[in-house]
């Protein structure tokens, strides 16, 4: 009989007490047991069970039960969508079945001994977007649970979520640790490593190393006792093709401008009869399939790597990646998680933008880069892809065993290797606090005023089209910098004029009426094309980069200018900006290229924007001496402080060995910026700052104080930048700037900055 006096309200209170208890409790299993017993009692259910999702195996695992066979704990496992529990988890909504075994998805687990329970009610356990598991109650009587029960279970599941979420991390950690070699100890000084935040976020996962200099095949363990047939090989090929197509599709949703060409190369090799055909011939002649895959791959790797052409050389990685995928599908079977990096934290010595994209497509949790600078372009890309990234100058990290659990706290730059349970709980509560703070700070106003009412403009830096959404959500007043080279970086061929046109149209249409500034290609430096020969340069940052590259490759430059002019036809506030301008001559030459393209479009009777604003990006200190003349000939200006600092101080922004010399607080940097701002204001020309300094809390009042009225930052920083600006009056900001400008030494500026940051309560920003 169904009782009507269920005390759901009391239940909720008890559960929240349990949640608090868990923090102090060591034994997670007993916590779960108490929870299921409590829920079963209050719901008058015969059975209550908790299933948790295991990120590593991608399965739901029975963690505790009251009513089913206790020995089934840890044994019953199901995939997403499998059985009623898997279905609830997949659909993310309650499932209330009065006659469970009649449901088409019902699956019988003999371990559970659950035959007599007809009524089944399951609710997903969710915390925000995180899917934690499923809470289930069952009863012998048919049609036992009603709508009130569903509501109560939902409430319980949400209360349980926090506690269970923590516990799940611990369990996950125990499982991860169990998989490690027993004799392995992490050296003490590697247990906590501090690095620089390149892209914010949190992650807890197993680590895997990614070394593009090493063959991907090395790390795949092959059981010598296993025999594989030609049929297994064919199945592995088919599975590989299906996975690549799926990846390509998933990626094109996320990154429309890339058109997912990364995987095209893989697919093309796969379809090349010589590649798979040679493997097949070897297998037919008696060579075991894993060996055949390795031999043919090795042959192609040698062939490609000896080529003088960078594009062909690059194919080495494609062949290795592809062969690794086929081999994993062969030895692990298609059912098994075939991607080495999926759900992992990747530790790498160096990465190209295309590597970051590939990893992102495999849903990695985070990146630890053992080398590189935070303003390097892979960092900007990681930020746009919302992958936490920390740069840590500790090469030993590359040698921790595969699968070691690692926490990345990419809010403060902390890396915990093989963390204790205690650290996991602390990390979890920090994550919650940060997430809460972030939600609060996302309350942005559409206009920005200083405390005394001066109007300041906040624009967005856009790297990928998908940043646009966040920019609009956080009320950017336009785009101050679109890094147009990004779509070029991760493709295996240049985007055509038409493809560029489509991308630029999306930018103009996405910010109607507002400023949209497209910076022409800034290729070269650390943004190298796979299909160019520039890789051979000894000093690419001082080489054929940015406007120099565009001048050298006129057709690429003209195609881009035409695409911008055409896409901007109906835009009200279109702007073209040239990177790395070092002289008036260069600026004039670049402007002339725009006028020539306009004439060409007019001749062809194609519609285009006839009066775009044309500006210079100030990055090369040489222009400081001719700044008045450059301002006079520009419609607007922007300062790229990342490169301005790099070139003024002769310090490679992407080299971690010299990162301590990358000092935006150098007196020459500060005075240079002040001089540029003064010149722009004297001629009433708009000047913005679009480098990383623009979002650094301690520099914002300085920039305001020297007269900068436009800040262009990665969208995520808009709320915090606005908040700081609103807290200052213009005269306070001027005093702030004057104090810094008065300092003659690095030490003096640093001390003044520390003092002023304290007085004004300004904390260091995170990447
Ligand atoms: C800069 O140099 O500050 C800048 C904004 O350009 P990028 O970071 O793309 O080189
Ligand atoms: Mg730059």
């Amino acid at each position: 009989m169904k009782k009507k006096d269920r005390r759901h309200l009391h239940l909720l209170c008890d559960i929240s007490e349990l949640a608090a208890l868990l923090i102090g409790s060591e034994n997670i299993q007993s916590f779960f047991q108490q929870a299921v017993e409590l829920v079963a009692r209050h719901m008058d259910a015969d059975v209550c069970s908790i299933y948790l999702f295991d990120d590593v195996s991608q399965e739901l695992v029975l963690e505790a039960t009251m009513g089913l066979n206790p020995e089934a704990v840890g044994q019953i496992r199901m995939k997403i969508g499998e059985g009623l529990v898997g279905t609830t988890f997949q659909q993310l909504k309650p499932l209330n079945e009065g006659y469970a075994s009649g449901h088409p998805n019902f699956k019988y687990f003999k371990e559970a001994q659950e035959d007599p329970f007809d009524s089944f009610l399951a609710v997903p356990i969710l915390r925000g977007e995180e899917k934690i598991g499923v809470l289930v109650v069952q009863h012998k009587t048919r049609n036992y649970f009603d709508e009130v029960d569903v509501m109560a279970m939902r409430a319980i599941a949400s209360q349980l979520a926090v506690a269970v979420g923590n516990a799940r991390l611990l369990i996950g950690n125990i499982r991860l640790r169990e998989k490690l070699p027993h004799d392995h100890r992490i050296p003490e000084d590697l247990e906590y490593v501090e690095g620089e935040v390149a892209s914010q976020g949190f992650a807890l996962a197993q680590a895997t190393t990614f070394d593009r200099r090493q063959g991907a095949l090395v790390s795949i363990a092959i059981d010598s006792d296993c025999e594989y047939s030609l049929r297994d090989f064919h199945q592995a090929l088919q599975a590989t093709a299906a996975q690549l197509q799926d990846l390509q599709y998933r990626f094109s949703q996320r990154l429309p401008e890339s058109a997912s060409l990364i995987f095209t190369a893989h697919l093309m090799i796969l379809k090349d009869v010589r590649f798979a055909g040679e493997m097949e011939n070897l297998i037919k002649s008696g060579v075991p399939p894993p060996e055949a895959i390795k031999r043919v791959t090795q042959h192609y790797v040698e062939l490609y790597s000896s080529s003088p052409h960078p594009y062909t050389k690059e194919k080495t990685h494609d062949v290795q990646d592809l062969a690794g995928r086929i081999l994993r599908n062969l030895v692990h079977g298609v059912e098994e998680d075939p991607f080495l990096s999926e759900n992992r934290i990747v530790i790498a010595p160096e990465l190209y933008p295309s590597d970051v994209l590939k990893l992102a497509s495999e849903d990695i949790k985070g990146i630890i880069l053992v080398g590189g600078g935070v303003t390097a372009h892979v960092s900007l890309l990681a930020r746009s892809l919302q992958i936490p990234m920390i740069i840590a100058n500790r090469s030993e990290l590359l040698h921790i065993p595969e699968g070691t659990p690692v926490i990345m706290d990419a809010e403060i730059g902390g890396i915990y290797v093989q963390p204790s349970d205690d650290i996991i709980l602390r990390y979890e509560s920090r994550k919650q606090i940060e997430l809460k703070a972030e939600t609060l700070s996302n309350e942005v106003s559409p206009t920005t005023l200083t405390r005394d009412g001066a109007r300041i403009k906040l624009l967005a830096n856009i790297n990928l089209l998908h940043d646009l959404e966040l920019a609009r959500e956080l009320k950017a007043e336009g785009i101050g910098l679109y890094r147009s080279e990004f779509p070029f970086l991760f493709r295996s061929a240049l985007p055509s004029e038409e493809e560029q046109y489509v991308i630029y149209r999306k930018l103009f249409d996405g910010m109607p009426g507002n400023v949209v500034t497209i910076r022409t290609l800034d290729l070269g430096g650390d943004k190298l094309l796979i299909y160019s020969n520039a890789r051979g340069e000894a000093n690419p940052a001082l080489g054929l980069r940015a406007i120099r590259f565009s001048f050298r490759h006129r057709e690429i430059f003209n195609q881009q200018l035409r695409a911008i002019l055409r896409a901007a036809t109906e835009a009200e506030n279109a702007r073209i900006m040239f990177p790395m301008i070092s002289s008036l001559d260069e600026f004039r030459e670049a402007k002339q290229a725009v006028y020539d393209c306009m004439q060409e479009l007019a001749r062809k009777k194609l519609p285009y924007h006839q009066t775009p604003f044309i500006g210079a990006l100030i990055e090369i200190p040489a222009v400081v001496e001719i700044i008045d003349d450059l301002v006079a000939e520009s419609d607007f200006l922007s300062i790229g402080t990342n490169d301005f600092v790099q070139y003024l101080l002769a310090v490679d922004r992407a080299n971690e060995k010299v990162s301590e010399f990358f000092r935006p607080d150098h007196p020459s940097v500060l005075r240079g910026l002040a001089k540029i701002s003064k010149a722009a204001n004297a001629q009433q020309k708009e000047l913005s700052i679009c480098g990383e300094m623009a979002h650094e809390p301690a520099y914002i009042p300085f920039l305001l104080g020297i007269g900068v009225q436009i800040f262009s930052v990665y969208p995520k920083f808009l709320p915090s930048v606005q908040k700081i600006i609103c807290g200052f009056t213009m005269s306070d900001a001027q005093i702030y700037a004057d104090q810094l400008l008065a300092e003659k030494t690095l030490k003096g500026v640093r001390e003044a900055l520390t003092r002023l940051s304290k007085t004004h309560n300004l904390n260091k920003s995170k990447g």
Side-chain angles (χ1 to χ4, degrees), residues 174-193:
I174 293 162
R175 289 216 180 99
L176 297 183
R177 267 193 246 137
E178 279 165 359
K179 291 190 179 180
L180 285 178
H182 285 304
D183 56 351
H184 192 81
R185 277 190 63 79
I186 299 291
E188 223 166 83
D189 68 335
L190 214 59
E191 283 173 4
Y192 178 71
V193 173

Side-chain angles (χ1 to χ4, degrees), residues 40-97:
R41 200 166 62 241
H42 283 270
M43 298 290 294
D44 286 323
D46 294 328
V47 176
C48 177
S49 315
I50 292 177
Y51 295 80
L52 296 188
F53 186 63
D54 180 351
D55 277 332
V56 179
S57 66
Q58 298 279 301
E59 288 170 325
L60 284 150
V61 185
L62 178 67
E63 287 298 338
T65 183
M66 138 92 213
L68 296 184
N69 177 7
E71 284 178 10
V73 169
Q75 302 303 315
I76 297 189
R77 299 172 157 263
M78 50 202 104
K79 299 261 175 224
I80 303 171
E82 185 183 354
L84 298 186
V85 173
T87 307
T88 309
F89 191 74
Q90 185 177 47
Q91 297 180 345
L92 298 181
K93 55 179 192 203
L95 183 71
N96 184 10
E97 270 301 316

Side-chain angles (χ1 to χ4, degrees), residues 377 483 519 522 527 545 619 640-643 653 690-691:
H377 289 88
R483 291 185 162 99
R519 173 178 76 185
D522 182 8
K527 290 178 276 195
R545 188 188 155 184
E619 302 180 285
T641 51
N642 306 338
D643 280 314
R653 66 192 256 192
C690 65

Side-chain angles (χ1 to χ4, degrees), residues 3-15 38-44 148-149 152 156:
K3 281 194 204 159
K4 286 290 171 199
D5 64 339
R6 288 183 202 142
R7 290 165 297 154
H8 292 323
L9 262 179
H10 289 155
L11 174 67
L12 301 190
C13 299
D14 289 351
I15 294 279
L38 186 80
V39 178
R41 200 166 62 241
H42 283 270
M43 298 290 294
D44 286 323
V148 178
D149 295 322
I156 298 165

Side-chain angles (χ1 to χ4, degrees), residues 253 386 460 462 464-476 507 510-511 715 718:
Q253 304 293 98
Q386 277 138 30
I462 302 287
L464 302 175
L465 284 176
H466 106 160
D467 296 329
L468 252 182
E469 203 179 306
L470 192 62
R472 278 193 302 253
E473 217 171 273
L474 298 178
K475 314 213 174 56
L507 290 172
M511 282 279 170
L718 288 164

Side-chain angles (χ1 to χ4, degrees), residues 305-316:
S305 56
S306 61
S307 163
H309 303 294
Y311 175 53
T312 313
K313 261 197 171 65
E314 181 63 29
K315 270 178 165 294
T316 315

